């Protein structure tokens, strides 16, 4: 089908975009980034915004920069641009690896990093990366600017802490010196994940000093697997530590089944993705030294 | 609702068009219906199949989930822009020669994606081509002949000075 009628604005400043969002709130105004989720939803008429505010021309949203220990990605940076960016490869190799699993190149040429996080699909890759990296989102609304941590941002399937009158201008990823791995299982190449696991690990003298583990596909939001982190931190890197983390990380999970995979199957898949990710991240942490 | 028409400028296959469109119009429909370029096909209309793939500022996009207003001020390349008059593009010739198409429904999108792959990776391995065209569905060929066609076109595109809309035909002879 085709999108239902709507009015369209293409502001050039964040302030104008925020003002337009407030002005047209009664029309269910929506922000448009790459359109790779919003336009299909409009084609299906699952979304029927009365006013669409395109961020494409808003100045300053298309840059990737390093600020202190943080990688800052503007709201209009396309997934394909981030995937090829040397700054991303250096400061957030976990994000670079995950981007390769997001849809196919023609979608990534339009879709944005921030748009994927804003959309908060429970099967999407980047929300899990944001959670593992303790990312922060910068939101601007009528009351000014605020930062939202990834841990607070994801509230349910397609539901976030962003106010209806707010726009995300950037996402900030804190770099994590150590090893990383992103492992996913999907039905077909380029599809959303059935289960995806993001792992960061730092070692000192062969011991796991710090880690961050998050997963998609195991609940309505991405989950931080803190039990897995606690289970292996302090241990000597190796298969015993990995076994402990896999058991702890998947104990008590009760993901909803769907037509792609039942609950028990999802846990089996999570176990094998988690194991592979922990192994690969550990190897990379060892290689780094 | 009264939708205001938006004036947009599209440079399609090197030719500039100024159009007034409703914001709801999809790029694929504007190309086909307003500009009379039906080479770009419509299949799933939600970004999955790839038959509507065109190049927007030289990067492949799904024209079925791109609003025409999002392409304002940008350049679009479609399958109609590949041939140089009666001379087919090397990719078109190799698709023909290697039977890279049967029904032809996926072909316009497949060709444009192949152009992007070869512009980014002029000398790809078979695996790079296979991985690259995984973005586009074909229900007929089994893909193998498409892969062979793209691989055969690669050295020709490196040596034959590919079609460039900014170079007049006389200057290339
Ligand atoms: C065929 C296909 C396959 C796909 N496969 C995958 C996949 O495997 N994994 C995956 O993760 N994704 C996948 N996607 C989705 C894709 O990654 C989208 O690009 C992404 O989810 C949304 O980014 P966007 O920039 O296109 O956002 P849009 O579609 O423009 O927006 C999405 C939503 O976020 C809101 N939004 C966007 N930016 C902002 C902002 N700055 N501030 C406030 N709100 C904002 C919009 O209002 C809208 O509600 C797929 C899409 C398609 C069409
Ligand atoms: S018609 Fe656009 S991807 Fe299928
Ligand atoms: S040739 Fe028929 S779909 Fe590809």
């Amino acid at each position: 089908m085709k999108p239902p009628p709507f009015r369209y604005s293409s502001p050039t400043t964040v302030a104008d975009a925020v003002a337009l969002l407030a002005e047209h709130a009664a029309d269910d105004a929506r922000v448009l980034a790459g359109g790779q989720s919003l336009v299909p939803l409009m084609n299906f008429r699952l979304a029927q915004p009365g006013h669409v505010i395109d961020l494409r021309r808003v100045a300053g949203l298309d840059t990737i920069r390093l600020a202190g220990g943080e990688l800052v990605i503007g709201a209009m940076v396309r997934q394909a641009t981030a995937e090829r960016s040397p700054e991303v490869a250096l400061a957030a190799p976990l994000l670079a690896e995950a981007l390769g699993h997001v849809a196919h190149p023609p979608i990534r040429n339009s879709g944005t990093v921030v748009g994927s996080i804003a959309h908060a699909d429970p099967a999407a890759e980047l929300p899990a990366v944001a959670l593992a990296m303790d990312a922060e989102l910068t939101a601007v609304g009528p009351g000014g600017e605020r930062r939202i941590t990834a841990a607070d941002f994801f509230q349910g399937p397609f539901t976030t802490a962003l106010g209806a009158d707010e726009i995300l201008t950037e996402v900030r990823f804190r770099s994590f010196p150590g090893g990383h791995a992103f492992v996913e299982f999907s039905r077909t190449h380029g599809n959303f994940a059935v289960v995806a696991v993001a792992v960061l690990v730092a070692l000192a003298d062969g011991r796991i000093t710090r880690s961050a583990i998050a997963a998609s596909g195991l609940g309505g939001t991405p989950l931080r697997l803190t039990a897995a982190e606690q289970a292996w931190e302090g241990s000597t890197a190796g298969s015993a530590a990995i076994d402990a983390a896999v058991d702890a990380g998947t104990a008590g999970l009760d993901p909803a089944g769907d037509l792609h995979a039942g609950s028990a199957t999802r846990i089996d898949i999570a176990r094998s993705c988690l194991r592979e990710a922990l192994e690969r991240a550990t190897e990379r942490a060892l290689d780094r030294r | 609702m009264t939708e205001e028409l938006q004036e947009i400028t599209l440079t399609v296959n090197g030719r500039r068009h100024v159009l007034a469109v409703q914001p709801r119009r999809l790029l694929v429909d504007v190309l086909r219906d307003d500009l009379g370029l039906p080479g770009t096909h419509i299949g799933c209309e939600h970004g999955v199949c790839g038959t509507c793939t065109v190049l927007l500022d030289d990067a492949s996009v799904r024209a079925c989930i791109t609003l025409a207003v999002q392409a304002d001020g940008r350049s679009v390349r479609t399958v109609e822009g590949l041939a140089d008059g009666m001379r087919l593009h090397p990719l078109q010739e190799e698709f023909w020669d290697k039977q890279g198409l049967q029904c032809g429904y996926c072909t316009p999108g497949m060709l444009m994606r192949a152009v992007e792959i070869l512009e980014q990776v002029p000398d790809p391995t078979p695996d790079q081509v296979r991985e690259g065209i995984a973005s586009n569905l074909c229900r007929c060929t089994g893909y193998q002949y498409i892969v062979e066609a793209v691989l055969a076109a690669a050295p020709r595109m490196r040596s034959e000075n590919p079609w460039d809309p900014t170079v007049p035909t006389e200057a290339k002879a």
Side-chain angles (χ1 to χ4, degrees), chain A residues 1-8 32-36 39-40 43-45 50 54 56-57 84 104-107 109-110 189, chain B residues 1-4 6 23-24 26 29 42 45-47 59-62 64-65 67 69-70 72 74 113 116 120 131 134-135:
Chain A
M1 286 202 297
K2 312 292 180 190
F6 56 86
R7 290 202 183 83
Y8 172 84
L32 175 74
Q36 300 303 287
V39 179
N43 281 356
F44 284 126
R45 309 221 166 176
D54 191 347
R56 179 162 79 94
R57 290 194 172 86
R84 288 193 283 263
H104 290 286
I107 311 288
N109 281 339
S110 288
H189 175 81
Chain B
M1 177 185 303
T2 50
E3 275 182 293
E4 288 151 40
Q6 294 282 324
R24 65 191 289 247
L26 300 170
D29 293 325
I42 307 179
E45 246 174 19
H46 65 283
S60 65
V61 300
R62 308 299 211 206
C64 72
I65 53 171
L67 300 171
V69 289
Q70 289 181 284
D72 178 28
R74 302 169 74 180
R113 176 70 180 124
E116 181 187 41
Q120 289 180 348
E131 159 103 23
S135 56

Side-chain angles (χ1 to χ4, degrees), chain B residues 42-45 47-52 62 64:
Chain B
I42 307 179
C44 66
E45 246 174 19
V48 173
C49 73
T51 192
C52 67
R62 308 299 211 206
C64 72

Side-chain angles (χ1 to χ4, degrees), chain A residues 12-222:
Chain A
T12 53
T13 66
V14 173
D16 286 351
V18 170
L20 282 162
L21 201 50
E23 192 183 328
H24 300 287
D27 282 344
D28 188 18
R30 286 280 278 275
V31 167
L32 175 74
Q36 300 303 287
S37 294
L38 187 55
V39 179
L41 286 172
M42 288 165 67
N43 281 356
F44 284 126
R45 309 221 166 176
L46 292 168
Q48 307 207 2
H51 202 114
V52 169
I53 300 161
D54 191 347
L55 297 184
R56 179 162 79 94
R57 290 194 172 86
V58 174
L61 296 188
D62 61 351
T63 54
I64 300 178
R65 62 198 163 86
L66 290 167
E70 287 186 323
L71 173 74
V72 186
I73 298 186
M76 281 309 296
V77 171
R78 314 286 175 170
Q79 293 157 3
T81 308
E83 190 184 357
R84 288 193 283 263
S85 147
E87 287 87 357
V88 173
L90 278 174
L94 177 66
L95 174 64
E97 187 167 49
L99 279 164
H101 293 273
V102 176
H104 290 286
I107 311 288
R108 301 201 290 269
N109 281 339
S110 288
T112 62
V113 172
V114 169
S116 169
I117 295 171
H119 192 56
D121 189 315
E125 290 82 3
L126 305 188
V129 172
L131 194 59
M133 295 192 72
D134 292 321
E136 281 191 339
L137 294 142
T138 305
V140 179
E145 188 177 297
R146 67 176 176 131
R147 296 267 182 92
I148 311 171
T149 62
D152 290 335
F153 188 74
F154 302 106
Q155 301 199 330
F158 309 101
T159 309
T160 69
L162 191 70
D165 55 359
E166 289 180 308
I167 287 173
L168 293 175
T169 54
E170 63 189 19
V171 56
R172 309 174 77 93
F173 293 94
R174 207 160 300 157
S175 75
F176 185 111
H180 70 279
F182 190 91
V183 173
E184 101 168 28
F185 177 81
S186 62
R187 297 296 294 210
T188 57
H189 175 81
N191 223 316
F192 282 95
V194 173
V195 175
V197 177
V199 172
L200 292 165
V201 61
L203 305 178
D205 302 327
R207 278 180 191 282
I208 295 144
T209 51
R210 211 178 128 210
S211 66
I213 306 174
S216 291
L218 298 174
T221 63

Side-chain angles (χ1 to χ4, degrees), chain A residues 215-232:
Chain A
S216 291
L218 298 174
T221 63
L223 297 181
R224 187 77 182 249
L225 303 182
T226 37
E229 295 169 8
Q230 283 158 9
W232 79 334

Side-chain angles (χ1 to χ4, degrees), chain A residues 228-248:
Chain A
E229 295 169 8
Q230 283 158 9
W232 79 334
E233 282 172 16
S235 320
T236 307
S239 60
I242 288 172
D243 287 345
V246 170
D247 287 342

